[in-house]
Amino acid sequence: MEQGEVLKRVIGILTQAGEWLHEPDGVPEDAAAEGPGVVMQLLNDVMPQVTIPGDASAEEISAILSEELGGRIMQLTTAFAIAFWELAEVHDSGRTDVTALDVLQELALRSETDS
C-alpha cells in the first residue's frame, strides 16, 4: 500500500474519532465494534502475511519479523506523525479560523495530489 493511501486511511480513523468525541450523548455504543474494525482493517491491509518456520529460533523469528514488518510499521507511524504535526502546527499557531477537521481534509487533499 502506498504511503498516500495509508495517510488517507489514518485521516479517516482520526476523523471518525473526532466525530465520536463530539457526539452529544458521548461515544455511540456501536463505536467500540466499528472503531477497532476500521483499525484492524487498516492493519490487515498494510501488514504482510509472515511465515515463520516451525524450527526457527527466537533470534531467527525476531529477525524475520523485523525484516517483514519494520517498513510497514514505519509507514503507519509516519502517517500518524504527519497527521499529528499538521494538527499540532495549527494548534500552536493559535489559529481559531481552522478546525481539526479542516486540517485533516486539507491533508487528505494534499495526499491525493502528492500520490
Side-chain angles (χ1 to χ4, degrees):
M1 184 180 290
E2 296 293 322
Q3 185 65 36
E5 179 63 26
V6 174
L7 181 57
K8 286 184 275 187
R9 301 274 294 276
V10 165
I11 291 167
I13 290 168
L14 294 173
T15 301
Q16 182 65 63
E19 290 172 5
W20 290 335
L21 290 173
H22 293 99
E23 289 284 328
D25 299 325
V27 178
E29 288 182 29
D30 62 350
E34 184 180 334
V38 174
V39 173
M40 288 306 297
Q41 186 62 51
L42 174 61
L43 290 174
N44 288 335
D45 291 346
V46 171
M47 295 299 177
Q49 184 174 8
V50 178
T51 302
I52 306 289
D55 61 346
S57 69
E59 291 81 20
E60 291 169 329
I61 293 171
S62 178
I64 290 168
L65 291 176
S66 292
E67 184 177 325
E68 295 291 325
L69 301 178
R72 304 300 176 90
I73 292 170
M74 181 66 82
Q75 194 178 36
L76 283 168
T77 303
T78 299
F80 275 103
I82 289 168
F84 171 84
W85 278 108
E86 289 284 331
L87 291 163
E89 284 180 345
V90 171
H91 175 271
D92 291 350
S93 72
R95 290 187 60 187
T96 58
D97 62 320
V98 180
T99 66
L101 184 57
D102 294 335
V103 173
L104 292 173
Q105 288 174 340
E106 174 62 28
L107 182 57
L109 290 173
R110 282 199 328 255
S111 73
E112 272 294 315
T113 59
D114 292 344
S115 296

